Amino acid sequence: MPSPEPRGTHVTLADIARHATVAESTVSKVLNGRPGVSATVRARVERSLHELGYRRRRADDAPGAAIELVVQEMSGQWALDIFRGVQRVASEHHTAIILTERSRRDRGEEWIDRVIQRRPSGLILGMSQLDAAARHQLVVRGVPFVIVDPAALPDGDSPAVSSANWEGGFMATRHLIGLGHRGIAAVTLPTTLMFARARHAGYQAALEQNGIVPDPDLTVVTGADRDEGLAAGLRLLDRDPRPTAIVAGNDLQAIGIYEAARSLGLRIPDDVSVVGYDDIPAAEWLWPALTTVRQPVVQMAEQAARMLFTLIAGQPLAITRLTIDVELVARGSTAAVTEG
Amino acid sequence: MPSPEPRGTHVTLADIARHATVAESTVSKVLNGRPGVSATVRARVERSLHELGYRRRRADDAPGAAIELVVQEMSGQWALDIFRGVQRVASEHHTAIILTERSRRDRGEEWIDRVIQRRPSGLILGMSQLDAAARHQLVVRGVPFVIVDPAALPDGDSPAVSSANWEGGFMATRHLIGLGHRGIAAVTLPTTLMFARARHAGYQAALEQNGIVPDPDLTVVTGADRDEGLAAGLRLLDRDPRPTAIVAGNDLQAIGIYEAARSLGLRIPDDVSVVGYDDIPAAEWLWPALTTVRQPVVQMAEQAARMLFTLIAGQPLAITRLTIDVELVARGSTAAVTEG
């Protein structure tokens, strides 16, 4: 009777080579993203890695290997907060961080090949999407990864740290309802982004819980920048009756709504209340200072890094999907509704 | 007659070992910051490295070695801009970037030991100070480095990229004089920082060129944060006669001055004009939008990275100290002086 096939961390390069009928050096090339392997052979090796359930052992890592943090091109503060959270944990482990900012134009799978060639001991992905092909590349090579603030609902196997987006949308709206507002408009990012969908659902739930029927005409779906917030603000504030409050999809949109109000001669919060989302440093510098939902990005990244080092050590995760609380920060941009 | 001693890139580990009367493995340990060498032996090897003028050859680098970017804990936007500039160049060279944010509390030389252990092929230092001991560690090991935005005047041998600070201070002040201001106050960072000293000298020169004697009572020396700008603003705007304009040391201080003006019931620019320095994104989001001196941090970092890759390739630099132009961005926070 043949001995059972090896599994997981017991699988050696020799096992893979035998299974795929290639040389061990070829397996090593595929594992480390080095060139000189045909697409056919590479696919065969990847299939064997997958079928034998290969998991990289710590000893396979280069000594003092770095972890890699890949962030999507986005708001500067967001990327920096993620870096700071990861660094807190990485420095406890005396591990360096390779930082890569992925351009929005950087389509295709080349980026993941480059990441694999650098042989990081693990990856933190702060990016809107991890496509299935890139994910597969990491999984078959046994490179552990954790996603921060995922834009799509990750499959059950991908470890991820999110914030409580639905609750954030709910809190922002409930705060306005508590101040007497009922004509509450929403500016939201496209609901193909999971976090945007959750926040908007929270907004709708808060309205409904207070007997207000959400009016689809009071929702503008648009991009993440100030200019898009400005255009959305102009459109909403030009309506009759005018909404008395606007919940923005993020702080940059809220900054655009400030501009829209100013250009229409409306005062914040006297004529219209505004709530942002994120709590970037500038939220406090605006006049009036912006009421917003604080997303604890540093802590999210810290948790993701702790999960990653657990995976690198070959330990199982107690929780694969973690959600961190958000908090409403009330400042000067919201006030009790004035009698028309 | 003995053959002349080898110099520079011709020096081998064996030459160093012979010169210092230690084993080659000991030289390697010192070069790569590994433990197991006594302080005495380490000093002897470093002396030999220095005396023989050791320069690391490309072939000594690990394949695909990363460069390391060390930034001082500071304004988020500044650190991110430096990263982006370096990344533009590093990606052309298919080189990864290890990013390290050095805490202000992180005194001592340990940080440079950790950097050396990671064996980067070169370093970009975005930090206020590179002390002599750390510099020596890099020089004797032949690790090339370039300083971005140095706070101290680097010695002639250290490659560095600065911006035109004196010109920036001059432009900001000349802009206000052109609007009819004469009572122009200055908030400045401590003049132990070279860039702060240069900017303040530019301010003074612009006044003097226009027949205005700089009044030392109109200068407040303080820290880089908004709160410090607020305190400085309160002090200056409480004076009689009140200055009609303030030149701030950076945009965060200017944001504090906005708050000071507001709390005293003064309008910007009607009652007081304000000029910032840096042009952070929030400068445009303030109301009124902030007139400021734009520092091209991304380009500075890009130039520094180009210099670093030249050094890594073993080529000499055409220019060791590079200065990049700044630009005045006139927005809503400055206006013609009103007749008292």
Side-chain angles (χ1 to χ4, degrees):
Chain A
M1 203 171 98
S3 60
E5 277 192 331
R7 296 285 308 166
T9 50
H10 299 293
V11 177
T12 63
L13 260 56
D15 296 327
I16 309 283
R18 212 162 25 238
H19 190 274
T21 61
V22 298
E24 274 189 51
S25 61
T26 306
V27 178
S28 170
K29 279 181 187 165
V30 172
L31 277 173
N32 297 311
R34 289 202 300 274
V37 183
S38 73
T40 323
V41 170
R42 177 173 155 149
R44 203 162 77 221
V45 172
E46 288 185 349
R47 202 160 46 236
S48 296
L49 289 168
H50 184 65
E51 286 180 14
L52 296 183
Y54 172 77
R55 276 185 50 200
R56 194 160 55 155
R57 280 167 303 176
R58 272 212 102 170
D60 297 348
D61 292 339
I67 60 169
E68 181 147 351
L69 167 59
V70 184
V71 294
Q72 193 93 26
E73 185 184 1
M74 229 175 160
S75 144
Q77 192 58 43
W78 185 87
L80 201 79
D81 282 352
I82 295 216
F83 172 76
R84 286 185 170 151
V86 173
Q87 184 175 255
R88 265 185 212 172
V89 181
S91 68
E92 290 170 16
H93 291 264
H94 303 288
T95 299
I97 303 166
I98 294 175
L99 177 61
T100 308
E101 192 178 38
R102 216 185 134 203
S103 154
R104 287 184 209 191
R105 293 174 302 279
D106 189 7
R107 300 264 165 229
E109 293 166 36
E110 264 181 44
W111 72 275
I112 194 78
D113 290 337
R114 288 194 300 268
V115 168
I116 286 166
Q117 280 162 21
R118 288 192 279 268
R119 302 186 61 191
S121 50
L123 283 185
I124 302 279
L125 299 167
M127 50 195 302
S128 36
Q129 307 284 358
L130 175 66
D131 57 81
R135 184 180 174 279
H136 178 73
Q137 295 255 49
L138 295 174
V139 171
V140 296
R141 280 170 186 76
V143 180
F145 63 93
V146 180
I147 305 172
V148 186
D149 210 4
L153 200 63
D155 60 282
D157 290 342
S158 293
V161 179
S162 312
S163 65
N165 288 296
W166 186 89
E167 287 78 358
F170 189 91
M171 279 176 192
T173 312
R174 187 183 55 186
H175 168 72
L176 292 167
I177 294 170
L179 291 167
H181 294 273
R182 296 186 67 83
I184 302 171
V187 179
T188 173
L189 296 169
T191 50
T192 47
L193 299 168
M194 188 193 65
F195 58 79
R197 177 182 296 232
R199 289 176 200 170
H200 195 62
Y203 153 83
Q204 290 173 319
L207 293 179
E208 283 162 2
Q209 190 188 277
N210 289 278
I212 306 169
V213 181
D215 176 354
D217 289 350
L218 286 183
T219 291
V220 175
V221 181
T222 188
D225 292 335
R226 182 179 61 137
D227 288 352
E228 292 160 312
L230 167 60
L234 288 172
R235 201 166 126 199
L236 288 167
L237 294 174
D238 199 36
R239 289 178 60 86
D240 184 20
R242 198 174 62 221
T244 62
I246 304 179
V247 175
N250 67 16
D251 290 343
L252 287 182
Q253 287 181 342
I255 290 168
I257 295 167
Y258 271 53
E259 262 193 85
R262 236 179 254 127
S263 75
L264 296 169
L266 299 171
R267 288 157 309 161
I268 298 171
D270 311 61
D271 299 314
V272 60
S273 286
V274 179
V275 184
Y277 207 104
D278 283 340
D279 199 22
I280 61 175
E284 223 184 322
W285 305 336
L286 300 176
W287 184 253
L290 181 64
T291 295
T292 189
V293 177
R294 180 179 294 159
Q295 249 205 133
V297 179
V298 175
Q299 287 90 320
M300 288 162 67
E302 211 179 315
Q303 284 302 329
R306 293 206 187 284
M307 287 163 70
L308 183 66
F309 279 100
T310 300
L311 292 170
I312 290 173
Q315 306 296 319
L317 292 175
I319 304 172
T320 308
R321 302 285 317 278
L322 208 65
T323 302
I324 314 265
D325 267 358
V326 297
E327 164 189 16
L328 184 90
V329 183
R331 298 199 182 98
S333 67
T334 47
V337 71
T338 47
E339 301 303 317
Chain B
M1 204 173 99
S3 59
E5 275 192 332
R7 296 287 307 168
T9 50
H10 298 293
V11 177
T12 63
L13 260 56
D15 295 328
I16 308 283
R18 211 162 26 239
H19 190 274
T21 61
V22 296
E24 273 189 50
S25 61
T26 306
V27 178
S28 170
K29 278 181 188 165
V30 173
L31 277 172
N32 298 311
R34 288 201 302 273
V37 184
S38 74
T40 323
V41 170
R42 178 172 153 150
R44 201 162 78 222
V45 172
E46 288 185 349
R47 202 158 47 237
S48 296
L49 289 168
H50 184 64
E51 286 179 12
L52 296 183
Y54 172 76
R55 275 185 52 200
R56 195 159 55 154
R57 280 167 303 175
R58 271 211 102 170
D60 298 347
D61 291 340
I67 60 169
E68 181 146 351
L69 167 58
V70 184
V71 295
Q72 192 93 26
E73 186 184 358
M74 227 179 163
S75 144
Q77 192 58 42
W78 185 87
L80 202 78
D81 282 352
I82 295 214
F83 172 77
R84 285 185 171 150
V86 173
Q87 184 176 253
R88 265 186 213 172
V89 180
S91 68
E92 290 170 15
H93 291 265
H94 302 288
T95 299
I97 303 166
I98 292 175
L99 177 62
T100 307
E101 192 178 38
R102 214 186 134 202
S103 153
R104 286 183 209 190
R105 294 174 300 279
D106 190 7
R107 299 264 165 229
E109 293 167 34
E110 265 181 43
W111 72 276
I112 194 79
D113 290 337
R114 287 195 299 270
V115 169
I116 287 167
Q117 279 163 21
R118 289 192 280 267
R119 303 185 61 191
S121 51
L123 284 185
I124 301 279
L125 300 167
M127 49 195 304
S128 37
Q129 307 284 358
L130 176 66
D131 56 82
R135 185 181 173 280
H136 178 73
Q137 294 255 49
L138 296 173
V139 170
V140 295
R141 281 171 186 76
V143 180
F145 64 93
V146 180
I147 304 172
V148 187
D149 208 4
L153 200 64
D155 58 284
D157 290 342
S158 293
V161 180
S162 311
S163 65
N165 288 297
W166 187 90
E167 288 79 359
F170 190 91
M171 280 178 193
T173 312
R174 187 183 55 187
H175 167 72
L176 291 166
I177 294 169
L179 291 167
H181 295 274
R182 296 185 68 84
I184 302 173
V187 180
T188 173
L189 296 169
T191 50
T192 46
L193 299 168
M194 189 193 63
F195 58 79
R197 178 181 296 232
R199 289 175 200 171
H200 196 62
Y203 154 83
Q204 290 172 319
L207 292 180
E208 283 162 2
Q209 191 188 276
N210 289 277
I212 306 168
V213 180
D215 175 355
D217 289 350
L218 286 183
T219 291
V220 176
V221 180
T222 188
D225 292 335
R226 181 180 61 137
D227 288 351
E228 292 160 313
L230 167 61
L234 288 172
R235 201 166 124 198
L236 288 168
L237 294 174
D238 200 36
R239 289 177 60 85
D240 184 19
R242 199 174 62 222
T244 63
I246 304 178
V247 175
N250 68 16
D251 290 343
L252 286 183
Q253 288 181 342
I255 291 167
I257 295 168
Y258 270 53
E259 263 192 82
R262 236 178 255 128
S263 74
L264 296 170
L266 300 171
R267 287 158 311 161
I268 298 171
D270 311 60
D271 300 313
V272 58
S273 285
V274 179
V275 184
Y277 207 105
D278 283 340
D279 200 22
I280 61 174
E284 223 185 321
W285 305 336
L286 300 176
W287 184 254
L290 181 65
T291 295
T292 190
V293 178
R294 180 179 294 160
Q295 250 206 133
V297 180
V298 175
Q299 287 90 319
M300 288 162 69
E302 211 179 314
Q303 284 302 330
R306 291 204 189 287
M307 287 162 71
L308 183 66
F309 279 101
T310 301
L311 292 170
I312 290 173
Q315 306 295 318
L317 292 176
I319 304 173
T320 308
R321 302 284 318 278
L322 208 65
T323 302
I324 314 266
D325 266 358
V326 297
E327 165 189 15
L328 184 90
V329 183
R331 298 200 182 99
S333 67
T334 46
V337 71
T338 47
E339 303 302 318

